[in-house]
Amino acid sequence: MAAIPLPRQYPPPALLSTAPELKRRLLQGCRSFQELKHLHARLLRLGLDGDQYLLNLLLRSSFDSGQPAHALLLFRRTDHPNLYLWNTMVRGLVAADHMADAVHLYTDMRREGLSPNNFTFPFVLKACARLFDLDTGVKIHAYVLKAGFELDVFVKTSLLCLYAKCGRLDEAQRLFDEMPVRNVVSWTAIISGYMSEGRLEEALDMFRRSLEMDLKPDSFTLVRVLTACSQLGDLKTGEWIHQYIEDKGIEKNVFVATSLVDMYTKCGSVDKARAVFDGMVEKDVVSWSAMIGGYSTSGLPQEALELFVQMQAANMRPDCFTMVGVLSACARLGALELGQQVSCLMDMNDFLLNPVLGTALIDMYAKCGSTAQAWTVFKRMMEKDLIVWNAMITGLAMTSHGKVSFGLFAQIEKMGIQPDGNTFIGILCSCTHTGLVEDGRKLKGLCSFGQLGIF
DNA sequence: TTAGGGTTAG
């Protein structure tokens, strides 16, 4: 009879009687907050709380267990923490999404008279970038120059990201130009900077330049440039990048492959998207959603629904993105029953709290002729942006509820929401469906259609 | 111990 493998043995805490034992245990990682507290107690009991190496492991364990407040508590109790501990704290707070705390801690560190090193800056600059705190970032930049870290590629790239994120692409480009060493991360960062400014062509130009300089793009770079192609509808460049990936034998991870799927669907090559999708070794919910949504927006609802059936057969749980694609396909087909069935796969609150998902459900009900159900969803939705209102106005208009859609239009105005072209298209649609010619004329008198670009 | 908020929606 085969021996039953015993579970991995951890020494009971009581046996952790020496520093090496405690260190080994801390390096294994904690399984619970309770255990973390126990290990801390052992540290105190053994009089090892002055050992900053062990304390650092304890801090990291606290962050890894999702207990940043506990890490902060331990840290505050430490006399004269060394730079390593400060860095661990700033890094941990950034990873735990406590950006303001990370910046405050950095400020405390400076106040205590400690000099940051090349590791400190990327952590704290990331926090500034996420907070869009350019003022603090600029002060840190001044200190970077003073302390002589401006040549460090990590520090420089972090600064570049800060400026790009805060809308200062000019400064980001200047830093990039003066970098003595550029690597794939710096190139990807500047490409992303151009993309976030909507300068997609220039982002692709930077990518071409990077290749001319023999840079080997990685999956992060490829995802960015494929996204730029998607947004531009630039099939030619997208295909070229795909060929480049194949020629160089670059492994297509799930992110790159999904970006290819998205690029092909957005550029009108659904078949190529499907070929990439079928060739994917690993597919996640994003890949499935991209392909299903791609079929829907390409006017192939039947294919979208067939793929959704396959997704379920593959035991892949749909998310909000999947559901939008599926509901949109049902709306196009007028498949009310199916739409109702699939909507049951989600919690109703998901529809009520997510305006995109809610709109997809309203649109499906309205296009399938069930205005009453569309109305119920609309009334219950917590967050209604203009697109939600437009979907309901159009839905009512299409089913000859012109008066009600006019009522909604009046409410929009009363609430101070600025209608857009789609709102007026919905309203005009209700005029044509209900013969409210005179109301349509009045509306034309009231609103400046020319400005909206409708006529 | 460090830098890229890596892909999908109405």
Side-chain angles (χ1 to χ4, degrees), chain A residues 207-425:
Chain A
F207 175 63
R208 291 186 191 100
R209 262 184 63 194
S210 77
L211 296 185
E212 283 164 15
M213 299 183 84
D214 277 338
L215 184 97
K216 286 188 176 53
D218 66 9
S219 59
F220 284 71
T221 328
L222 294 168
V223 165
R224 299 310 290 145
V225 291
L226 286 169
T227 305
C229 294
S230 296
Q231 289 173 4
L232 283 166
D234 184 351
L235 178 63
K236 208 174 147 201
T237 309
E239 281 178 322
W240 186 86
I241 295 169
H242 189 186
Q243 194 57 50
Y244 175 89
I245 293 169
E246 298 296 336
D247 291 348
K248 297 282 176 188
I250 300 171
E251 193 211 346
K252 293 194 289 286
N253 68 13
V254 68
F255 293 101
V256 174
T258 305
S259 301
L260 278 169
V261 169
D262 179 56
M263 181 276 292
Y264 277 126
T265 61
K266 297 241 169 74
C267 294
S269 273
V270 197
D271 291 344
K272 286 193 176 171
R274 184 57 191 260
V276 174
F277 180 81
D278 286 340
M280 286 176 77
V281 184
E282 181 201 347
K283 297 183 184 89
D284 63 9
V285 64
V286 182
S287 333
W288 285 94
S289 304
M291 192 65 237
I292 290 170
Y295 274 135
S296 277
T297 50
S298 306
L300 296 164
Q302 197 66 49
E303 285 79 352
L305 294 179
E306 280 165 15
L307 197 63
F308 180 62
V309 171
Q310 287 182 38
M311 180 182 178
Q312 288 190 296
N315 281 325
M316 183 64 71
R317 201 180 148 77
D319 67 3
C320 296
F321 288 83
T322 330
M323 205 49 69
V324 170
V326 173
L327 288 173
S328 159
C330 292
R332 277 174 183 268
L333 291 169
L336 177 63
E337 207 172 313
L338 188 61
Q340 279 171 321
Q341 278 173 15
V342 296
S343 66
C344 291
L345 295 170
M346 306 291 287
D347 191 290
M348 193 56 202
N349 276 326
D350 292 331
F351 291 101
L352 303 180
L353 295 168
N354 178 339
V356 181
L357 195 55
T359 307
L361 190 59
I362 290 173
D363 193 51
M364 185 278 291
Y365 279 133
K367 291 208 171 102
C368 293
S370 185
T371 321
Q373 281 176 290
W375 182 253
T376 306
V377 177
F378 175 76
K379 291 298 278 182
R380 291 179 64 197
M381 276 178 71
M382 317 285 182
E383 192 190 323
K384 295 190 188 86
D385 61 17
L386 181 64
I387 308 177
V388 176
W389 285 90
N390 286 349
M392 196 63 244
I393 287 173
T394 309
L396 288 163
M398 287 185 308
T399 46
S400 307
H401 292 85
K403 290 273 183 198
V404 191
S405 82
F406 263 89
L408 286 190
F409 179 72
Q411 271 191 53
I412 285 186
E413 289 207 307
K414 205 187 262 178
M415 290 167 71
I417 300 174
Q418 186 68 38
D420 66 3
N422 288 327
T423 321
F424 289 106
I425 288 170

Side-chain angles (χ1 to χ4, degrees), chain A residues 84-124:
Chain A
Y84 215 98
L85 289 188
W86 283 100
N87 284 350
T88 297
M89 286 307 296
V90 178
R91 182 181 76 129
L93 289 170
V94 170
D97 211 20
H98 291 271
M99 303 302 164
D101 290 334
V103 175
H104 287 148
L105 209 73
Y106 170 83
T107 315
D108 288 349
M109 177 186 144
R110 296 282 297 120
R111 204 179 294 131
E112 299 271 321
L114 264 94
S115 301
N117 65 5
N118 53 317
F119 288 96
T120 323
F121 293 118
F123 298 141
V124 69

Side-chain angles (χ1 to χ4, degrees), chain A residues 167-188:
Chain A
R168 290 288 309 277
L169 192 56
D170 52 341
E171 185 64 14
Q173 180 69 61
R174 197 184 65 75
L175 290 176
F176 181 79
D177 289 341
E178 66 181 32
M179 282 176 93
V181 181
R182 295 176 194 127
N183 60 22
V184 68
V185 181
S186 353
W187 276 101
T188 309

Side-chain angles (χ1 to χ4, degrees), chain A residues 145-156:
Chain A
L145 297 173
K146 192 178 156 196
F149 285 102
E150 78 273 22
L151 295 179
D152 184 288
V153 68
F154 284 84
V155 177
K156 198 90 163 181

Side-chain angles (χ1 to χ4, degrees), chain A residues 16-23 26 39-55 58:
Chain A
L16 297 168
S17 51
T18 63
E21 277 175 0
L22 196 57
K23 179 188 160 190
L26 279 166
L39 292 175
H40 182 214
R42 291 303 302 161
L43 191 90
L44 293 169
R45 184 69 183 261
L46 292 167
L48 293 167
D49 48 318
D51 185 327
Q52 297 208 349
Y53 177 77
L54 288 180
L55 196 61
L58 204 58

